[in-house]
Amino acid sequence: MDVKPQVVPESIKRFPKLDNQELVKTSFWISQVFMIIATIVGVYLAAQEGLSQAIVFDDLSNKQNNYYLRHALFDEVSDNVTIINQYADSVAKATPYDLKSIHPNMATFVWENMRYSANTLETPTQILTETRRFYMASADIISKMESRFYGAKFGAQKLKQLTESMSKTTLPMLKQNYQALAVELKAADITVE
C-alpha cells in the first residue's frame, strides 16, 4: 500500500506567522506609555471640567432658589406691614368695642414654609431675625389689645412703630439682598422676575 502524503492548501493554514520584531523595539513601548499617560490625563481633565461645571450649575441654581425665596418673603412681609397699618389706623380712629371681630388676617404662608426650605438659612441672619421679631411682636401686641391689656390707641401706636421699623430697615435690606442676587443671575444669563 502506497500512502500518499496529503497536501494542505495554502489558504487552510492555521495561523500565519507573526512578526514580533516590533514588540522588542523601544519606540513601541515608549509610544504605548505615552498613549496610557495621555488617556489618564485626558480623563482627569474631563472629570475636572465636569466637576467645575457641576459646581457652577449648583451655585447658580442655589442663587436662583434664594432669589425666589427672598422675593416671596419680601412680598409677604410688605403685605403684612400694610395689613397691620390698616388695622392700626382703623382701631385708632373707630375704637371698636370687639377688637377680635376685626382681627387682622396676616399672610404667613412663605414664612411658615421657609422652615422646610434648605435655602432659608442662607438668608442673612439679620433679615430672618427682624422678620421673626416682627411676626412675634405684632401677634403679641394684637393679642394684648384684644384682651384689653393695651388700650386700642396705645396698641395702635405700638403697631405703627413696629411697622415703621420694618419699612425703614428690614424691608429695604431684604429688597436690596434679592436684587443683588438678580444682578448676579443676570450676569450668568439667567433671567428672574
Side-chain angles (χ1 to χ4, degrees):
M1 225 168 116
D2 251 347
V3 179
K4 261 182 159 178
Q6 273 188 332
V7 178
V8 178
E10 191 83 23
S11 62
I12 301 183
K13 288 186 180 177
R14 286 200 178 243
F15 297 108
K17 188 169 181 177
L18 295 177
D19 181 18
N20 293 335
Q21 288 200 347
E22 191 65 31
L23 294 176
V24 293
K25 291 184 180 176
T26 310
S27 63
F28 171 78
W29 289 109
I30 290 175
S31 69
Q32 293 303 309
V33 167
F34 279 121
M35 292 275 284
I36 292 170
I37 291 172
T39 303
I40 291 171
V41 169
V43 168
Y44 173 78
L45 291 176
Q48 283 296 103
E49 184 60 27
L51 177 63
S52 171
Q53 290 298 317
I55 290 171
V56 168
F57 175 78
D58 186 52
D59 185 47
L60 290 174
S61 178
N62 223 5
K63 284 181 181 177
Q64 187 176 20
N65 290 338
N66 276 310
Y67 168 83
Y68 288 122
L69 178 84
R70 293 173 197 174
H71 195 300
L73 180 63
F74 174 83
D75 290 343
E76 181 177 271
V77 173
S78 294
D79 291 347
N80 287 335
V81 165
T82 302
I83 290 168
I84 294 292
N85 279 332
Q86 290 170 350
Y87 173 75
D89 289 341
S90 69
V91 165
K93 288 177 187 169
T95 316
Y97 177 74
D98 185 18
L99 290 174
K100 290 182 182 179
S101 66
I102 61 166
H103 184 85
N105 190 14
M106 292 191 346
T108 58
F109 176 78
V110 175
W111 181 249
E112 288 174 1
N113 281 289
M114 282 177 67
R115 74 177 76 181
Y116 305 110
S117 172
N119 298 316
T120 298
L121 296 179
E122 293 179 26
T123 305
T125 308
Q126 187 176 3
I127 293 171
L128 290 176
T129 301
E130 293 301 320
T131 304
R132 177 183 51 81
R133 287 178 182 158
F134 168 73
Y135 279 115
M136 287 177 54
S138 60
D140 183 53
I141 294 168
I142 292 167
S143 173
K144 287 179 178 176
M145 288 170 65
E146 290 174 350
S147 68
R148 303 284 182 200
F149 185 79
Y150 286 162
K153 290 191 191 290
F154 179 74
Q157 182 183 8
K158 289 190 78 65
L159 285 173
K160 283 289 206 176
Q161 290 170 354
L162 182 64
T163 58
E164 184 179 345
S165 171
M166 281 300 283
S167 296
K168 287 186 177 178
T169 58
T170 307
L171 286 175
M173 187 186 331
L174 182 54
K175 186 173 188 174
Q176 182 183 5
N177 185 272
Y178 79 75
Q179 286 176 339
L181 284 173
V183 169
E184 288 181 41
L185 290 167
K186 188 174 183 178
D189 290 332
I190 298 174
T191 306
V192 287
E193 293 182 30

